[in-house]
Amino acid sequence: MEYIAGAAGILVLGLVLTSILRTLVVPRGLYSVLVFRLWWLLRRALRLTVLRGGYDAIDRAQTWLAPLMLIGMLASWLAGALLGFGLLLYALSPLSWTTAFREAGSSLFTLGFASGARLKLSVLDFMAAATGPVLIALQIAYLPTLYAAYNRREVEVTLLQARAGEPSWGPEILARQWLVDTETALPELYRAWERLAADMGESHSTYPILLTFRSPRPYRSWLVGIIAVMDAAALQLALDPRLTPPEARLALRAGFTALRDIARALRIPFDTDPSPEASIRLTFAEFDAAVSMLEAAGFRAGRTAKEAWPHFRGWRVNYEAIAYELCRRCDAVPALWTGPRDFPGAPIPPRRPVDRRPDEGRPGLPPAAG
């Protein structure tokens, strides 16, 4: 029995150490089974609290996912360390089960109330005593990194609200620029989101828990935002490639590269080199309705919707499948062109401010699309 307990203790400590290193230390997106199982469990537990609610109820519940994940990771690692050291103390001494775990807890949390004069157990006691503070210190040092990345992300998401509405939508970005004659600001937007996409690709794949951090406003989302910017760039390239700024291509490339980096960290399968002629879930009817809305806003396309569709599809095939899966897993706001969710509800179009100009109309939104 002692040999089994000792082997189990070593295995548990190895798993805990591996999970800590993968999550907090190694600067690369490594998969941690414990962290992702905890995400799966907490996300579904929070969903159970709002079985009959729509998106607003889901958003309120999922707001608690990030803090619960941080607490849950720390609690899981400490519990694993307690179990591992308790099993080792039981295996290497005549202590009973209760006494072994009592001493492991005393050492792990540096309380010292159960310490004894047994020399051969001092090494384990010292290791346990070092594990607790080091683990807590790593978790504390982890938080500023997370919140710094979160703040960088949310600044750009908030700035996008004036350009794309809430929730963001790619055609709306273009329509608003032409409605108010600010289309010359698009290159700057693409440059900002190219840099942000590179930032998010690195930070969100290295620290996947950032995916559980929601925006302060329920109808804002970094994920919906990056999809909207990529859709806007793909639309502009498809409809009028000659007058589209080169920054659009760079933003598109950076965007789907970032989504692929995150997908690799989450082990989401995807085609690394999809055919431009591959099918996408967005339909031509939805695309055609968006093009009509753009033309009503004053956008002058060099191609018809039918001519532009193969080009737009050739861009979107690079990121649509990953974007839809991430939106589903993150319970993102169900904006237009972002795919289905695990909860019922129709896609939400962007909210536009009321047009106060005299005798001026504005194009209406196309029918709700997935």
Side-chain angles (χ1 to χ4, degrees), residues 250-265:
L250 300 177
L252 259 171
R253 182 72 186 183
F256 69 72
T257 299
L259 293 185
R260 290 179 178 186
D261 288 342
I262 296 171
R264 290 188 186 94

Side-chain angles (χ1 to χ4, degrees), residues 310-369:
H311 300 276
F312 178 78
R313 185 182 60 196
W315 281 111
R316 203 171 204 261
V317 74
N318 289 289
Y319 59 87
E320 186 190 74
I322 298 174
Y324 280 17
E325 178 62 17
L326 286 175
C327 284
R328 185 191 68 81
R329 291 193 186 191
C330 295
D331 295 309
V333 54
L336 298 174
W337 292 16
T338 60
R341 302 291 187 272
D342 289 339
F343 50 87
I348 302 172
R351 301 174 179 179
R352 283 185 178 176
V354 178
D355 192 345
R356 300 298 185 185
R357 293 175 295 178
D359 301 323
E360 293 279 354
R362 64 172 51 199
L365 290 169

Side-chain angles (χ1 to χ4, degrees), residues 51-282:
L51 283 176
R52 297 179 180 275
Y55 171 69
D56 289 330
I58 292 291
D59 178 73
R60 285 193 298 270
Q62 295 298 331
T63 299
W64 294 97
L65 181 57
L68 289 176
M69 279 287 296
L70 292 170
I71 295 171
M73 288 191 306
L74 181 60
S76 299
W77 289 328
L78 289 173
L82 175 62
L83 176 62
F85 283 116
L87 289 171
L88 284 177
L89 285 169
Y90 174 79
L92 298 176
S93 72
L95 299 176
S96 65
W97 285 105
T98 56
T99 305
F101 279 99
R102 182 169 178 265
E103 180 155 334
S106 169
S107 299
L108 185 65
F109 297 104
T110 64
L111 300 175
F113 62 81
S115 59
R118 299 171 300 279
L119 181 61
K120 67 178 183 179
L121 299 183
S122 294
V123 174
L124 281 177
D125 287 333
F126 281 129
M127 289 176 63
T131 299
V134 168
L135 176 55
I136 294 171
L138 283 174
Q139 181 85 336
I140 293 172
Y142 181 55
L143 293 178
T145 302
L146 293 181
Y147 281 99
Y150 173 77
N151 288 336
R152 291 194 302 270
R153 184 187 84 187
E154 292 306 316
V155 166
E156 293 298 334
V157 173
T158 302
L159 288 173
L160 186 64
Q161 183 270 338
R163 300 171 183 259
E166 288 186 0
S168 301
W169 183 45
E172 182 74 5
I173 294 177
L174 299 181
R176 288 199 182 197
Q177 309 318 304
W178 264 264
L179 279 170
V180 295
D181 300 321
T182 57
E183 61 270 19
T184 54
L186 281 171
E188 181 184 353
L189 174 70
Y190 292 140
R191 280 194 297 269
W193 276 83
E194 177 196 3
R195 182 170 293 277
L196 180 63
D199 188 333
M200 291 191 298
E202 185 276 329
S203 60
H204 289 54
S205 60
T206 302
Y207 305 114
I209 192 176
L210 281 166
L211 298 172
T212 67
F213 281 66
R214 304 182 74 85
S215 294
R217 295 281 295 271
Y219 291 96
R220 292 179 191 169
S221 167
W222 69 272
L223 191 49
V224 170
I226 195 172
I227 295 170
V229 172
M230 286 193 292
D231 281 342
L235 263 172
Q236 202 172 2
L237 284 165
L239 290 169
D240 199 351
R242 291 180 304 167
L243 298 181
T244 301
E247 289 85 355
R249 290 179 180 270
L250 300 177
L252 259 171
R253 182 72 186 183
F256 69 72
T257 299
L259 293 185
R260 290 179 178 186
D261 288 342
I262 296 171
R264 290 188 186 94
L266 271 61
R267 295 187 177 178
I268 297 174
F270 63 89
D271 188 352
T272 58
D273 187 22
S275 170
E277 298 179 357
S279 61
I280 60 175
R281 297 176 68 175
L282 188 75

